[in-house]
Amino acid sequence: MPSAYLLVSHGSRDPRPDIAMQELAQLVSQKLPSSENLVGTATLEVNEQPLHQQILDFAESALDCGCNCLKIVPLFLLPGVHVMTDIPAEIALAEKELGQDMIIDLKPYLGSHPNLEKLLKPTIANIKVEASILLSHGSRRSGSQQPVENMAASLGAIAAYWSVLPNLESRVKELVAGGYRQIAILPYFLFTGGITDAIAKSVEALKLQFPEVTFQLVQPLGVSAELADLICNLSKQEEKVFG
């Protein structure tokens, strides 16, 4: 059954994440068989059209290309409300419109891939610091932080969150009180954008607050062939929920 692929991200008013998504979609397309290399992008928010309409538009293009199965891969790192509730609801709306013309196959979200950790480990290995903080966006959905906690533990770091507690400043204070003077901050985000800019400003403020501490701010995951490989792998898996 010929398939098309739709990569769904959060969406941003900053143009950089959208540019990165287009680059990533091209990489994924290059890794797929020539008969199944139709790859599109869509966003849950900050778009002129709701996600279900974006799905419908892409599904029509896929049907024109001879594809009758649409695999949707959520490029989210946490099993928050967006992944667990919002995206499935938008897909359900699209399915009502499409009927039997197109099969929609929702895949596991990106953060559930067990090999995602391997993309972060080289960064940790190349940094000479005494402690590391894995900084995630966070979610108020119960249990959604556990995958971040697990990731941080496997990397030898501690977890902090941008939108919920414990936040970056509180974690830094804990480490400083514990005698640490060299701290790395790893933004657990896909791409550079408005939030990573805000994180950089927060780190500059922390440098003033703790002049005796050396901070190293690492770049987010970014576009890479390795990330495209993970997405291709997810597109072959059955839908399931981790965390």
Side-chain angles (χ1 to χ4, degrees):
M1 183 180 296
S3 298
Y5 302 80
L6 188 62
L7 312 182
V8 177
S9 62
H10 182 275
S12 172
R13 291 181 177 83
D14 189 302
R16 289 171 292 175
D18 183 61
I19 293 170
M21 282 291 295
Q22 300 302 324
E23 294 173 352
L24 186 58
Q26 287 183 346
L27 281 178
V28 172
S29 177
Q30 292 166 8
K31 293 177 178 293
L32 293 169
S34 58
S35 59
E36 290 195 347
N37 62 358
L38 181 62
V39 181
T41 64
T43 61
L44 181 62
E45 296 185 358
V46 198
N47 195 296
E48 293 179 356
Q49 294 181 319
L51 178 57
H52 70 270
Q53 187 59 55
Q54 297 172 65
I55 294 172
L56 288 172
D57 291 345
F58 185 71
E60 290 179 6
S61 298
L63 286 168
D64 290 341
C65 293
C67 300
N68 53 5
C69 179
L70 175 55
K71 297 183 179 183
I72 296 180
V73 184
L75 298 194
F76 290 74
L77 297 174
L78 292 177
V81 175
H82 288 332
V83 167
M84 305 303 295
T85 302
D86 297 340
I87 292 176
E90 291 291 319
I91 288 175
L93 290 174
E95 286 178 323
K96 287 182 180 179
E97 293 284 338
L98 288 168
Q100 301 299 314
D101 294 336
M102 175 71 74
I103 296 172
I104 297 182
D105 185 8
L106 176 61
K107 295 303 178 180
Y109 70 98
L110 178 60
S112 69
H113 200 294
N115 289 338
L116 189 60
E117 173 189 330
K118 293 180 180 178
L119 299 189
L120 297 171
K121 275 193 171 180
T123 300
I124 290 281
N126 291 330
I127 296 176
K128 304 304 178 184
V129 292
E130 298 170 344
S132 300
I133 298 172
L134 185 68
L135 180 58
S136 167
H137 183 278
S139 170
R140 288 179 171 79
R141 180 181 174 272
S142 176
S144 63
Q145 258 74 276
Q146 194 58 50
V148 180
E149 300 290 335
N150 295 343
M151 177 72 77
S154 67
L155 294 171
I158 61 172
Y161 304 94
W162 186 249
S163 63
V164 296
L165 294 175
N167 61 18
L168 178 60
E169 183 178 4
S170 67
R171 286 304 203 193
V172 168
K173 287 180 177 179
E174 290 175 11
L175 291 174
V176 173
Y180 294 96
R181 295 297 180 264
Q182 296 176 322
I183 301 173
I185 299 167
L186 294 81
Y188 192 41
F189 292 80
L190 281 180
F191 309 122
T192 299
I195 293 181
T196 57
D197 286 351
I199 291 171
K201 290 181 180 179
S202 293
V203 173
E204 291 303 312
L206 288 168
K207 289 178 180 178
L208 295 175
Q209 187 176 354
F210 303 100
E212 74 280 13
V213 178
T214 299
F215 293 96
Q216 290 192 45
L217 177 60
V218 179
Q219 292 298 308
L221 284 165
V223 178
S224 67
E226 292 78 12
L227 182 58
D229 284 335
L230 295 190
I231 293 169
C232 289
N233 186 260
L234 282 174
S235 72
K236 299 173 184 176
Q237 295 183 19
E238 294 298 320
E239 181 190 0
K240 49 188 173 182
V241 175
F242 298 81

